[in-house]
Amino acid sequence: MNFNKIVKIILAIIAIAGLAAAAVVAIKKLTAKEEPEYFDDNDFFECDNDLEIIEVKEDEAEIEEEKAEEKKEAPKKKAAPKKKAAPKKAE
């Protein structure tokens, strides 16, 4: 046999094996079951999880004062000046 013929046969076998491998990988990827990953929060944060919740109540008078100040600060809109009609030219 000729050397070129042997090289072509080997390359053909390699190409067929590559196509088969690609097909197997594609089938496995499409049919694989996806399992969710679970993480433990303690792995990421070092805390004792003993947090104290403090509720703060605002006085109603303070809230009303803040609303009144917001209304005072809002600028008033001025009406746009009216345009005068242009005099008609006599033809």
Side-chain angles (χ1 to χ4, degrees):
M1 270 210 227
N2 197 354
F3 178 73
N4 287 339
K5 234 181 195 184
I6 295 172
V7 171
K8 285 181 183 180
I9 292 171
I10 292 173
L11 289 176
I13 293 170
I14 292 172
I16 292 170
L19 289 174
V24 168
V25 169
I27 290 171
K28 282 187 178 181
K29 192 170 190 176
L30 292 174
T31 60
K33 293 181 182 178
E34 293 183 17
E35 295 180 15
E37 275 187 66
Y38 296 105
F39 296 103
D40 186 16
D41 286 340
N42 293 328
D43 293 340
F44 298 104
F45 305 104
E46 293 181 11
C47 64
D48 54 357
N49 292 331
D50 293 333
L51 301 176
E52 184 178 336
I53 299 173
I54 301 172
E55 293 184 15
V56 178
K57 294 182 181 179
E58 293 186 28
D59 292 335
E60 291 180 15
E62 290 179 6
I63 295 172
E64 290 177 9
E65 289 176 6
E66 290 175 3
K67 288 181 182 178
E69 289 176 6
E70 289 176 4
K71 288 181 182 178
K72 289 179 184 176
E73 292 175 2
K76 295 181 180 178
K77 294 182 180 179
K78 294 182 180 179
K82 295 181 180 179
K83 295 182 180 178
K84 294 182 181 178
K88 293 183 181 180
K89 293 182 182 179
E91 294 181 20

